[in-house]
Amino acid sequence: MHGTRIPLAKPDSRAITIRLARDPTDLMLVTAIRSAVYLAEQDCPFEEEFDGNDMVAAHFIGYIGNEPAGCLRVRFFGDFAKVERLAVRHQYRRSRISFKLVQASVDYVKRKGFRKIYGQAQDRLVDFWAHFGAKPLGHNRKITFSDFSYTEMLLEIEPGPDAITLDSDPYVIIRPEGDWDRPGVLDASAGRAVTSPLRDLALADRRN
């Protein structure tokens, strides 16, 4: 899983690819998928589905071949991450894409060093989330919104061996989100000599 766009594959490809959303076009894909699932199928009001949190979250997009088939959102709090808004287009629900999306998000959260993942699962999907080790959060911890009953779930995890910390390579920390294992443009910029362009600009202003 990484953040770059997938290469074009053969039209009949059934390969599943997961990546992080990067730009406004990606957010349009996320909006389209969630609209098809939640607004069209579950009759969720627009303002309840698009709740004001999309611009402060990480979004995963799942492809089957070249077709965007599912998405998932992750938000971050002090000591836990929240996985939410898993949506898969109806024609792809017999695939493994929902599992791949969740596993990609769990791996991502581990890489960021978190130890807890919180979720609110529709009651009919509690067993799906249990597949990843999530358990109901206490006795009868339920919540109701948008006409569905949800069970609060908690998945306790260990950070990955390559989790990013303050001791990590500083160039890793400033690489594009989720694409930490490949040198980015700022790695390449380190090869240039230090010129302090703002200092030089200030000196030029003084001379003028």
Side-chain angles (χ1 to χ4, degrees):
M1 185 278 294
H2 56 77
T4 56
R5 293 191 179 278
I6 61 171
L8 289 178
K10 295 180 180 179
D12 60 350
S13 172
R14 302 296 292 176
I16 296 175
T17 306
I18 310 295
R19 67 176 181 82
L20 274 169
R22 289 281 179 217
D23 55 33
T25 298
D26 287 343
L27 289 180
M28 289 175 64
L29 292 177
V30 169
T31 301
I33 294 168
R34 282 169 42 194
S35 294
V37 173
Y38 292 117
L39 272 61
E41 292 186 45
Q42 298 187 15
D43 201 26
C44 181
F46 179 89
E47 65 181 357
E48 293 179 13
E49 174 55 31
F50 298 99
D51 56 355
N53 286 318
D54 286 323
M55 300 303 292
V56 292
H59 298 267
F60 289 83
I61 304 172
Y63 288 81
I64 295 183
N66 291 328
E67 192 68 16
C71 62
L72 176 148
R73 187 172 81 181
V74 183
R75 290 190 294 135
F76 298 96
F77 297 84
D79 64 348
F80 68 94
K82 185 175 187 296
V83 173
E84 56 193 9
R85 294 301 198 273
L86 173 62
V88 175
R89 292 165 58 190
H90 70 89
Q91 61 267 52
Y92 298 109
R93 289 185 191 146
R94 292 184 179 274
S95 73
R96 298 278 298 172
I97 194 166
S98 59
F99 290 90
K100 298 282 189 180
L101 280 163
V102 173
Q103 190 58 60
S105 72
V106 171
D107 293 342
Y108 170 75
V109 170
K110 287 182 177 180
R111 187 76 188 269
K112 291 180 79 74
F114 286 85
R115 295 180 179 273
K116 295 179 181 179
I117 296 176
Y118 170 74
Q120 297 163 343
Q122 286 188 16
D123 291 346
R124 64 187 177 87
L125 296 174
V126 166
D127 288 345
F128 169 82
W129 290 98
H131 173 84
F132 300 94
K135 298 178 181 179
L137 185 60
H139 178 65
N140 201 32
R141 289 284 296 261
K142 291 186 179 295
I143 182 173
T144 301
F145 58 88
S146 297
D147 308 311
F148 284 88
S149 174
Y150 293 81
T151 297
E152 292 182 277
M153 306 286 287
L154 181 67
L155 172 59
E156 297 190 85
I157 57 177
E158 287 295 323
D162 54 354
I164 296 170
T165 70
L166 285 174
D167 295 322
S168 297
D169 184 329
Y171 288 103
V172 170
I173 296 172
I174 59 176
R175 287 173 186 165
E177 186 74 10
D179 209 2
W180 297 294
D181 296 323
R182 299 192 304 170
V185 294
L186 296 181
D187 292 73
S189 78
R192 300 197 301 263
V194 176
T195 60
S196 300
L198 289 179
R199 180 197 62 193
D200 295 340
L201 181 61
L203 290 173
D205 287 342
R206 290 173 189 167
R207 294 191 190 103
N208 293 334

